[in-house]
Amino acid sequence: MDILYFAWVRERIGTDFEDVDAPADVTDLRGLIAWLATRSAGHESALKDIACLRAAVDQRFADLDASIVGAREVAIFPPVTGG
Amino acid sequence: MIHVRLQPEPFDAGAELARLDAQGGGGVASFTGIVRGEGGLTELMLEHHPRMTLAMMQQLAEDAAARWDLLGVTIIHRHGALAPGAGIVFVATAARHRGAALDACASLIDRLKTQAPFWKRETFADGRQAWVEPRAGDDEAAARWLRGDG
């Protein structure tokens, strides 16, 4: 699964992209973020406060309770500030 | 006619408006967002999702065109490093009557704020950098149009 990071999430983790194989028992965004947070100190710093994060599954905004089963791409980022 | 662009280059608002003026409607409304130079800001960097951002802009344009029966809608959003005074975003709408053009334009800029995946990083003269946080009023402004009381 492709994981994309943006803005300060990207900066703290130190990369904008990872290709990961999440464990089978990780089935929703909340679980995925908690699992990713264990990968390094940077991941933990970026991902520990889940209330500050937003996400998109296969390029659609998704609630943190949304399923990731079968997803090809998950993007994790702070709230957007367009315009 | 729907016209959506995501680009690092500056845009020519006058040329974009002239194209909408020629759509045969009774009114054209527009909004240009400009980088504010307050607080010693020297650069505003806009980051975007390489595949999702343009698709969301296109979706917002199509939604507005259908809801307000627009004759034309243009959205141009820049990305990359911008200096104070530079244009960031341009939204313009052409319609038969002013109400539709004005409402569609206001709706689009409100929805771009909260639904287009962009992130802004400010750099100041002393070297400090900060990511821009959404304002509390942004979600409410966008939600107003979804409820229909906007």
Side-chain angles (χ1 to χ4, degrees):
Chain A
M1 181 188 301
D2 293 346
I3 310 290
L4 277 62
Y5 303 115
F6 294 96
W8 55 256
V9 177
R10 168 180 60 72
E11 287 184 339
R12 289 187 195 175
I13 291 174
T15 183
D16 60 359
F17 172 81
E18 293 185 286
D19 182 359
V20 305
D21 288 310
D25 62 345
V26 170
T27 59
D28 65 6
L29 273 172
R30 198 176 294 277
L32 176 69
I33 291 168
W35 176 73
L36 288 168
T38 65
R39 287 169 67 87
S40 77
H43 286 78
E44 187 188 4
S45 165
L47 303 174
K48 66 183 178 214
D49 191 355
I50 201 163
C52 294
L53 300 174
R54 302 291 182 271
V57 176
D58 290 331
Q59 296 159 29
R60 290 181 177 276
F61 290 116
D63 292 339
L64 295 174
D65 295 320
S67 171
I68 57 157
V69 176
R72 297 167 65 178
E73 179 193 295
V74 171
I76 302 170
F77 42 79
V80 304
T81 53
Chain B
M1 185 203 301
I2 293 174
H3 193 81
V4 175
R5 297 208 306 271
L6 174 61
Q7 62 187 41
E9 300 85 12
F11 49 80
D12 180 346
E16 300 299 333
L17 285 171
R19 191 208 326 248
L20 286 170
D21 288 349
Q23 296 295 306
V28 172
S30 74
F31 175 86
T32 304
I34 295 165
V35 179
R36 285 187 303 271
E38 58 196 22
L41 183 131
T42 55
E43 179 192 277
L44 186 68
M45 194 278 294
L46 282 98
E47 185 169 325
H48 69 287
H49 185 304
R51 290 169 298 283
M52 184 177 169
T53 305
L54 184 63
M56 280 300 297
M57 291 167 61
Q58 181 75 27
Q59 183 65 53
L60 294 176
E62 289 174 9
D63 287 354
R67 176 171 173 181
W68 281 282
D69 196 18
L70 300 177
L71 297 167
V73 53
T74 298
I75 304 175
I76 303 171
H77 209 303
R78 293 179 67 190
H79 62 85
L82 304 180
I88 306 174
V89 61
F90 176 81
V91 175
T93 53
R96 287 172 189 80
H97 301 286
R98 71 181 185 283
L102 288 165
D103 284 355
C105 184
S107 157
L108 279 169
I109 198 68
D110 283 344
R111 296 188 70 187
L112 279 167
K113 282 252 173 228
T114 58
Q115 291 170 52
F118 287 98
W119 300 271
K120 293 176 179 151
R121 189 189 66 199
E122 298 171 323
T123 302
F124 298 92
D126 59 5
R128 188 166 47 90
Q129 292 189 325
W131 289 93
V132 175
E133 304 266 347
R135 295 175 189 220
D138 289 347
D139 277 335
E140 171 58 20
R144 191 162 64 95
W145 298 103
L146 296 177
R147 288 199 305 266
D149 59 350

